[in-house]
Structures are given as structure tokens and as C-alpha cells.
Amino acid sequence: MHDLYHPRIFELAGDISRVGRLAQPQGTATKVSKICGSVVTVDVALDGETVRDFAIETEACALGQASSAVLAAHAVGATVAEIQQTRDVLYKMLKENGPPPTGRFWELRHLEGVRAYPQRHTSVLLAWEAILAAIADARVGA
């Protein structure tokens, strides 16, 4: 369990930025884990293919909160392609023993220990699924 819940996970989980809702989001999505009951809601505003503004509400375990914190800290200024690529690399890290994400979202490496606990994968991926769904919602309204 030490691989899962080490000090940096708790630091990240306790310091999520951009918590709340945007006054006028272009896109919104809520994702719920049927496995653990975690809920993540994301609001986004885009400037073309770049996230201009972002807000998140997370009700999840420390692992889901840590993943949300990494996303929240670096979403603004990230491109849609960068977010999609990070979600894909994170998925492969958890499900296929791939390397952790690099670049602005490098701190997701702290969640590598989760790969040994498949029942926790959904919680770690939830914020990433929510932002991609919010981006899709923004594109529909554009």
C-alpha cells in the first residue's frame, strides 16, 4: 500500500487548484465511477485548441484527487491534443505497464503504483475523461 499512498499523493490530493465552477463555461461534463462512487465535474473554456479557463469539482479518494490536482495545476494553456495524449499515456501506464506521462503533467508518475490495483484505475482516469468530455461539449456548442 505504500506504493499507492505515499506522501506526495496526499500533498497533491490536499492541494487541488481551480476548485469550483466557471461562471460561463463553454463545455461541462460530469463523470462518475460505478466502481468506487467517485464524481468529477469539469468546466472548460477554449481558445481554439487551447484550454483558456478550467474549473473542477472532485469527490474522490486520494488517488483520484491527486490525479485531478495534476490536471488542475496545468490544464490552462494546455492544448486539446496534449490533454488527449496525456490521458492516453496515463491509460497505458495503468493498463499496459507503459511509462508515465511527461511534460507539464509529469507528476502523474506518482500514480504508477496504481497499476497493480485495477479497481483504482477508474478513479485516477476520471478527471481526464471528464475534461475530454467537457472539451467535446464545448466543441458541440461552438
Side-chain angles (χ1 to χ4, degrees), residues 9-37:
I9 292 294
F10 291 118
E11 290 170 5
L12 288 166
D15 191 27
I16 302 173
S17 62
R18 301 186 150 303
V19 173
R21 303 297 302 270
L22 295 182
Q24 295 183 324
Q26 289 175 307
T28 299
T30 298
K31 292 291 182 176
V32 179
S33 169
K34 295 177 185 174
I35 295 171
C36 67

Side-chain angles (χ1 to χ4, degrees), residues 93-112:
M93 178 187 86
L94 295 172
K95 305 281 189 186
E96 301 170 9
N97 205 31
T102 58
R104 75 173 67 218
F105 300 110
W106 70 272
E107 278 206 282
L108 290 169
R109 72 181 174 87
H110 296 297
L111 294 159
E112 278 187 278

Side-chain angles (χ1 to χ4, degrees), residues 55-139:
I56 190 167
E57 291 184 336
T58 302
E59 294 177 27
C61 65
L63 301 169
Q65 289 179 329
S67 182
S68 293
V70 174
L71 174 61
H74 303 289
V76 173
T79 65
V80 172
E82 192 176 7
I83 290 169
Q84 178 67 57
Q85 178 186 20
T86 300
R87 184 260 174 220
D88 292 348
V89 171
L90 179 60
Y91 180 91
K92 288 177 182 176
M93 178 187 86
L94 295 172
K95 305 281 189 186
E96 301 170 9
N97 205 31
T102 58
R104 75 173 67 218
F105 300 110
W106 70 272
E107 278 206 282
L108 290 169
R109 72 181 174 87
H110 296 297
L111 294 159
E112 278 187 278
V114 178
R115 75 169 48 113
Y117 301 89
Q119 68 277 19
R120 304 284 191 191
H121 293 182
T122 302
S123 183
V124 171
L125 291 165
L126 210 56
W128 299 88
E129 300 296 347
I131 192 172
L132 290 172
I135 288 167
D137 183 51
R139 288 176 167 169

